[in-house]
Amino acid sequence: MSTTEQTYIMVKPDGVQRGLVGEIIARFEKRGFKLVALKMFTPSKELLEKHYADLKEKSFFPRLVAYMLSGPVVGMVWEGLDAVKTGRAMLGATNPLASAPGTIRGDYALQVGMNVCHGSDAVETAQHEIGLWFGGEVNQYKLSRQEWIYE
Ligand code: RTP
């Protein structure tokens, strides 16, 4: 069953440095999703440790945290039909070499440690991440072009 959902999408430090913020926003806008929150900032180590808590036993965890601390990120909340699953599909596989061309990672990345963007992997995870990164605060508004996206 398809449902209207919110997902947390984040342009990672390499995506910001490479000037891919506009491209990533454009892809979500053009697909038909609604932007309900947007913020640029350098995350704290504590926040990253909470965000990636499920990975803390992994050998790559310290490298991952250092990478995410290396510069500002752009966090966003996108809303729409099946936003979580579709957002992940638009990002591509975690390892960019396994990502299909046409996906963000498949078009702009080569290595897992520099994979440009993050996307929530489940509806519950998305709600948790929106709470962590935005204190749960998102905008509520009617998007006029919605009538031309949904039948
Ligand atoms: P993300 O949270 O960034 O959307 O990535 P994901 O769910 O597709 O993948 P996950 O397994 O949760 O990994 C989170 C991020 O950790 C880095 N990573 N490095 N083997 C490695 O060196 C390795 N594996 C994962 C990546 O930045 C990945 O996106």
Side-chain angles (χ1 to χ4, degrees):
M1 195 183 66
S2 297
T3 50
T4 296
E5 300 166 352
Q6 292 177 342
T7 190
Y8 179 63
I9 300 293
M10 173 165 55
V11 185
K12 296 180 177 182
D14 52 327
V16 172
Q17 291 295 332
R18 292 177 54 198
L20 297 174
V21 175
E23 172 68 26
I24 292 168
I25 290 175
R27 287 184 180 219
F28 279 84
E29 271 186 332
K30 287 179 193 167
R31 185 72 192 256
F33 290 113
K34 179 164 87 169
L35 182 64
V36 293
L38 174 77
K39 161 161 100 168
M40 178 186 231
F41 58 106
T42 304
S44 67
K45 194 161 181 271
E46 293 68 39
L47 179 57
L48 287 168
E49 284 172 352
K50 283 185 190 157
H51 177 83
Y52 285 124
D54 59 323
L55 300 175
K56 74 171 182 295
E57 305 304 331
K58 301 277 186 194
S59 59
F60 60 80
F61 186 72
R63 195 158 22 100
L64 170 61
V65 172
Y67 156 56
M68 292 298 295
L69 281 170
S70 65
V73 299
V74 174
M76 305 174 251
V77 181
W78 289 93
E79 186 180 285
L81 203 62
D82 269 346
V84 171
K85 193 173 71 180
T86 310
R88 293 278 289 188
M90 289 167 68
L91 260 51
T94 307
N95 182 350
L97 284 186
S99 301
T103 63
I104 293 166
R105 290 166 177 159
D107 285 349
Y108 299 115
L110 288 172
Q111 290 197 296
V112 71
M114 290 277 172
N115 64 357
V116 172
C117 49
H118 159 81
S120 306
D121 62 7
V123 174
E124 302 70 36
T125 321
Q127 285 312 308
H128 173 67
E129 292 175 352
I130 293 165
L132 271 182
W133 293 84
F134 284 96
E137 251 185 72
V138 300
N139 294 278
Q140 288 181 354
Y141 65 102
K142 181 169 160 35
L143 195 64
S144 55
R145 70 182 150 85
Q146 233 161 258
E147 277 141 43
W148 298 97
I149 293 166
Y150 295 97
E151 52 187 337

